[in-house]
């Protein structure tokens, strides 16, 4: 008999990027959509370990329901590691996670893997986390037309073909993480062309620059740091926005401006 506990694997709190993020907690787990699909319909909608599916997901495919549950399991575990609280973020009307008022966080999932990153709002005004599969060269070139700015596209043309997939995958993922971190702050939609990589040096720290005024102090030209790593066959990106008053004004990657 398939039970809910067989649908997901153990929690993993390892930090995959080179530098830890002070005060933040990451929790990940693997899950099996096939096993989740074998659960009864009643079990899939009535809740799992205290996590209820939003009504808008009751008719969703098993994959989407499984992703929601796995991501919330990670989020709840991360919040417990943060300060011992027992809380699970629900879903806002815009489908974003509804975090506790004094916390910020982000959730991601990709091909049977989910993760959540959380921290206190007094330390960060926003967090962005995204997981993507690494694109092949030709697929990356097709996606580049939608994701890259003209300046990024020029940079792409100069790369060795072996680096094309990594660069486009990273640009896509970093801009997804930027959106997750900034959207709750500025309260408005923005798209891939609203920001660009200042320079591309591969895995590690990457700097992004806004190309559009988003409001709430986030004007065109403002820059933020992101992190990219490869972890268990996936590309993971991270963006953390320090709380007002905690930002550093010096560029930590000044050579990237050249």
């Amino acid at each position: 008999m398939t039970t809910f506990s067989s649908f997901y694997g153990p929690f993993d709190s390892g930090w995959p990027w080179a530098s830890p993020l002070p005060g933040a907690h990451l929790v990940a787990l693997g899950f099996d959509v096939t096993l989740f699909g074998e659960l009864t319909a009643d079990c899939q909608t009535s809740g799992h370990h205290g996590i209820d599916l939003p009504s808008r997901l009751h008719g969703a495919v098993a994959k989407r329901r499984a992703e929601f549950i796995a991501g919330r399991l990670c989020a709840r575990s991360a919040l417990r590691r943060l300060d011992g609280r027992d809380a699970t973020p629900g879903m806002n009307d815009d489908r974003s996670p509804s975090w506790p008022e004094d916390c910020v966080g982000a959730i991601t999932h990709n091909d049977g893997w989910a993760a959540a990153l959380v921290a206190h709002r007094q330390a960060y005004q926003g967090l962005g986390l995204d997981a993507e599969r690494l694109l092949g060269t030709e697929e990356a070139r097709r996606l580049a037309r939608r994701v890259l700015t003209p300046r990024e596209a020029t940079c792409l043309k100069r790369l060795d073909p072996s680096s094309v997939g990594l660069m486009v995958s990273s640009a896509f993922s970093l801009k997804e993480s930027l959106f997750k971190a900034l959207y709750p702050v500025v309260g408005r939609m923005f798209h891939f062309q609203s920001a660009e990589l200042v320079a591309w040096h591969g895995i590690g720290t990457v700097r992004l620059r806004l190309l559009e005024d988003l409001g709430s102090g986030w004007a065109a030209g403002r820059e933020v740091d992101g992190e990219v790593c490869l972890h268990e066959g996936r590309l993971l990106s991270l963006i953390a926005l320090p709380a007002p008053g905690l930002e550093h004004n010096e560029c930590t990657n000044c050579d990237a401006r050249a």
Side-chain angles (χ1 to χ4, degrees), residues 229-240:
C229 72
L230 294 176
H231 178 66
E232 297 180 355
R234 297 177 181 85
L235 185 141
L236 303 183
S237 67
L238 163 69
I239 287 182

Side-chain angles (χ1 to χ4, degrees), residues 11-219:
F11 291 115
D12 178 7
S13 59
W15 190 259
W17 297 279
S19 301
L21 189 62
H25 290 263
L26 177 77
V27 172
L29 59 76
F31 62 95
D32 190 326
V33 175
T34 302
L35 291 179
F36 182 85
E38 292 175 0
L39 297 170
T40 67
D42 179 66
C43 179
Q44 289 188 34
T45 59
S46 63
H48 311 273
H49 291 241
I51 299 176
D52 293 327
L53 281 170
S55 58
R56 68 178 62 185
L57 293 184
H58 286 182
V61 298
K63 177 177 180 293
R64 179 68 188 98
R65 296 195 300 267
E67 290 170 344
F68 180 89
I69 295 296
R72 264 51 183 191
L73 284 169
C74 291
R76 186 170 64 187
S77 177
L79 287 167
R80 283 175 177 163
R81 292 171 185 269
L82 178 67
D83 57 17
R85 75 179 69 199
D86 186 9
T88 305
M91 179 187 285
N92 293 318
D93 290 341
D94 59 9
R95 297 180 181 267
S96 64
S98 57
W99 297 98
E101 186 175 349
D102 60 341
C103 295
V104 293
I107 298 173
T108 190
H109 39 74
N110 171 263
D111 192 24
W113 186 86
L117 179 69
V118 302
H120 285 122
R121 190 176 296 277
Q122 66 185 20
Y124 300 96
Q125 57 183 312
L127 294 176
L129 171 69
D130 186 66
E132 302 290 341
R133 65 182 178 85
L134 192 60
L135 298 170
T137 301
E138 292 308 312
E139 186 178 10
R141 292 191 189 280
R142 291 193 296 271
L143 183 63
R145 303 186 187 102
R146 181 166 65 93
V147 172
L148 302 188
T149 65
R151 184 176 177 277
E152 290 170 329
T154 298
C155 175
L156 185 71
K157 292 177 181 177
R158 299 179 183 143
L159 291 181
D160 184 277
S162 63
S163 298
V164 168
L166 179 60
M167 191 266 193
V168 176
S169 301
S170 297
F172 180 92
S173 186
L174 282 161
K175 292 180 184 186
E176 287 286 325
S177 285
L178 180 65
F179 180 83
K180 291 179 181 180
L182 260 183
Y183 174 72
V185 178
V186 301
R188 54 163 288 188
M189 296 291 294
F190 59 94
H191 305 285
F192 290 115
Q193 303 298 317
S194 299
E196 68 180 4
L197 305 181
V198 174
W200 171 245
H201 300 300
I203 293 298
T205 301
V206 184
R207 200 158 179 85
L208 294 93
R209 179 188 297 125
L210 291 181
L211 302 180
E212 178 183 350
D213 289 334
L214 300 178
S216 301
W218 291 89

